[in-house]
Amino acid sequence: MEHDQEQEACVEQTQRYCVQRPIYNQELLQGQLHKRQRTSQTLGQRIAHSCRCSSKKAKSHLYSFLPILKWLPRYPVKEYLLGDIISGISTGVMQLPQGLAYALLAAVPPVFGLYSSFYPVFLYTFFGTSKHISIGTFAVVSMMVGSVAVREVPDEIISLDSNSTNTTDVLEYYSARDSKRVQVAVALAFLSGIIQLCLGFLRFGFLSIYLTEPLVRGFTTAAAVHVFTSQLKYLLGIKTSRYSGPLSVVYSIAAVLSKITTTNIAALIVGLTCIVLLLIGKEINLRFKKKLPVPIPMEIIVVIIGTGVSYGMNLNESYKVDVVGNIPQGLRAPAVPEIQLIPAVFVDAVAIAIVGFSMAVSMAKIFALKHGYTIDGNQELIALGICNSVGSFFQTISITCSMSRSLVQESTGGKTQIAGTLSAVMVLLVIVAIGYLFEPLPQAFVASLFLGLDYGLLTAVTFAMITVIYRTQSPEYRILGQIPNTDIYCDVEEYEEVKEYPGIKIFQANTSLYFANSESYTRALKKKTGVDPGALLKARRKAQKRHAREIKAANEHRKKAVLKLVSPSTNDVEASVKHEIASDDLPVNGKLEDSSVQDMSPDEHEHFVEPKSSIHSLILDFTPVNFVDSVGAKTLKSIIKEYKEVGVCVCIASCSGPVMNELTRLNFFDKSVTRELLFHSIHDAVLACQVKDGSAAQADFHL
């Protein structure tokens, strides 16, 4: 075997080919080739074709708009239900304190955070394509909502006599202020949802390709600073104004420092105690992750302890510690958002719509890649738009995906959107039945919730979008073939004379390979070549299972047939039959195998059991590639690995020196991906692929 490989390597190194042809320039070459005749369609014909409907097309559109119709009927109850139940309970436990906390961050009463943790989560089950993200309130979006609410309804807008000591007047003041801020928050949710819906229907989901892992981490890092500084006053029990817009962090810190002498010691002790307990719980969950069936719900434990201590010691009246306050029971009747507020909050709604979509799709992509399924960026926009716009009629604030809850939902065994629905049911239970129990909860606990946010803010998204605008292009993907008797390769769809080599596909993209187009590059490669490794492996596994079932059925049928021919009174014959049956069950290589399978030749067995591609080699033309980044290198390596698993060799042709140096810097080459896969030209790669496949003579190649 090693000798054959060495001989093949030697043959590859000594192959030569001679070319005798004129020196072509582009004009001369075009003069010898004939353009394919194509019938162009008029605009009316194209519109008529797109509007044409069939039952299959209608069904496809319905499944696309309501993904639940596709996955729910196939839901494997025995395999998924227990994991979804555990995950739903764990996520719901976390959803409760975060809903209360993020509502305060949005400058609205806490109960509206609970509404936002129920209606949108329930709606996403029907329209969302991600199986693992947890929809609901999120710190960054709540901060953006809160800044708009405070800007539109500042404390000074509601008149209150400074000398008034009437408790009723004070309560009415805060009630009127909160009511107006709720109207602003609801209008924001409605408008951001409409914007997301419009972007989804206009197929703007392609924006998700700009959300790379480095961008997401950068996007979520600045949030910790903004959120923590905005909550310092709750931790210290200091009364300060709320700031928004540029330099809001500086103004918030300055305001807190100016009143640091008025710190409420009781509130500080409560807050620090909660922080310590949360850190202890986090450390225990990390250290004993493999031993614990589910993470310890330290958030809800701290909520229960804090609420009990606050109620027992009467912290609000005795020590002036701010508490969550009134949580009305039951659901509110639907109401139309205040449409007249839309002009004032339009720009903010656009920003919230984009940030919300960015967070949801980036997390959805991470989980989809990890668990081997795909998400639809356009449908995610539509789902978020429905959650926000429809939810706004039930007084919800703007929502998106929460990173911390999504990680809990996935790590505790969640398999589908059923887990999110169960978490929403838990929140509903609190709203309609036991919400009043959380009224004494100290707000200083609320500040400690945000210590787990170690990711970032809108700056990263804005910066990445600006840089991508200059580098964005609309790549064209081609399959190349040979112009006969030359070493020139052109688009097979462009010229009649161009022919493809049997078993070899040559793929070209007129673009570099980097984070903005790595996914589209992979999709186009599979579509153009007609070889999808994932689909082949899936079909192969199904064929193997089906073949195993047929072997088992054949064995049982043959045994029954033999037993019917045997007389029960004939001991010798019975013994021989038992011996024959026992011999049929002898394991071969650790598995039971039927004689019919043993008689089958390896080629016949492979043809019957394992679906194969008619393509044995794939050549990637890197002539147009000017650069490759880390995401592109990982994508390229994944392509080579996936196609190798289905017996397709991937080669790279015409890779420039700078690109090769970049691949080397990115540690692209290793034992499985060597420089032997790179060829100076397409024709070199074609000849090498022919030699490896044995379809060419072991001699010099002459054109």
Side-chain angles (χ1 to χ4, degrees), residues 472-626:
T472 299
Q473 49 187 325
S474 300
E476 294 182 4
Y477 303 101
R478 306 182 183 93
I479 295 295
L480 305 183
Q482 184 199 36
I483 298 177
N485 301 321
T486 73
D487 61 344
I488 300 175
Y489 293 81
C490 300
D491 187 357
V492 296
E493 297 179 358
E494 190 73 14
Y495 303 105
E496 296 177 355
E497 290 85 353
V498 173
K499 305 296 180 184
E500 291 186 68
Y501 284 103
I504 299 177
K505 287 287 183 181
I506 306 171
F507 179 78
Q508 183 194 72
N510 67 331
T511 180
S512 295
L513 186 58
Y514 64 114
F515 73 89
N517 65 2
S518 58
E519 290 186 4
S520 60
Y521 185 96
T522 305
R523 287 196 301 267
L525 176 64
K526 295 175 181 178
K527 182 179 180 180
K528 283 286 188 180
T529 60
V531 181
D532 187 342
L536 275 176
L537 290 174
K538 186 176 181 181
R540 185 175 297 178
R541 287 193 293 267
K542 287 184 177 179
Q544 289 172 343
K545 291 180 180 178
R546 182 175 64 252
H547 187 51
R549 290 195 298 267
E550 292 175 357
I551 291 174
K552 183 178 179 182
N555 281 335
E556 293 176 355
H557 179 73
R558 198 159 63 86
K559 292 173 185 177
K560 291 179 180 178
V562 173
L563 288 173
K564 288 181 179 179
L565 297 175
V566 177
S567 173
S569 60
T570 309
N571 295 332
D572 294 338
V573 178
E574 183 177 0
S576 65
V577 170
K578 290 182 178 179
H579 177 73
E580 182 180 355
I581 294 173
S583 65
D584 287 342
D585 292 338
L586 287 176
V588 178
N589 292 329
K591 296 182 180 179
L592 295 178
E593 183 166 330
D594 185 43
S595 60
S596 62
V597 181
Q598 295 175 358
D599 296 336
M600 190 182 299
S601 67
D603 292 338
E604 291 174 336
H605 183 270
E606 184 178 52
H607 176 73
F608 182 79
V609 175
E610 299 183 354
K612 292 187 66 177
S613 168
S614 59
I615 307 301
H616 60 75
S617 299
L618 175 61
I619 300 172
L620 305 179
D621 180 19
F622 263 42
T623 304
V625 176
N626 296 319

Side-chain angles (χ1 to χ4, degrees), residues 573-695:
V573 178
E574 183 177 0
S576 65
V577 170
K578 290 182 178 179
H579 177 73
E580 182 180 355
I581 294 173
S583 65
D584 287 342
D585 292 338
L586 287 176
V588 178
N589 292 329
K591 296 182 180 179
L592 295 178
E593 183 166 330
D594 185 43
S595 60
S596 62
V597 181
Q598 295 175 358
D599 296 336
M600 190 182 299
S601 67
D603 292 338
E604 291 174 336
H605 183 270
E606 184 178 52
H607 176 73
F608 182 79
V609 175
E610 299 183 354
K612 292 187 66 177
S613 168
S614 59
I615 307 301
H616 60 75
S617 299
L618 175 61
I619 300 172
L620 305 179
D621 180 19
F622 263 42
T623 304
V625 176
N626 296 319
F627 69 93
V628 176
D629 68 354
S630 59
V631 178
K634 290 180 180 178
T635 300
L636 188 59
K637 205 164 189 176
S638 176
I639 289 172
I640 295 174
K641 181 181 177 181
E642 288 180 4
Y643 278 89
K644 185 178 180 180
E645 291 179 354
V646 295
V648 178
C649 176
V650 178
C651 302
I652 302 174
S654 303
C655 185
S656 65
V659 173
M660 190 177 299
N661 294 336
E662 190 68 13
L663 291 175
T664 303
R665 188 184 68 83
L666 294 170
N667 299 320
F668 175 75
F669 301 104
D670 55 22
K671 293 182 180 179
S672 60
V673 181
T674 65
R675 296 178 186 271
E676 294 178 357
L677 297 178
L678 275 66
F679 293 89
H680 180 71
S681 67
I682 296 177
H683 200 68
D684 290 325
V686 169
L687 297 181
C689 292
Q690 288 181 325
V691 171
K692 286 183 179 180
D693 189 60
S695 60

Side-chain angles (χ1 to χ4, degrees), residues 48 66 133 139 149 159 168 218 222 251 270 288 317 430 515 604 611 652 680 703:
L66 281 170
I133 64 172
S159 60
T168 303
Y251 295 145
V270 170
F288 301 100
E317 295 183 4
V430 173
F515 73 89
E604 291 174 336
I652 302 174
H680 180 71
L703 296 178

Side-chain angles (χ1 to χ4, degrees), residues 131-142:
K131 302 177 182 178
H132 295 91
I133 64 172
S134 175
I135 293 296
T137 54
F138 179 59
V140 177
V141 173
S142 296

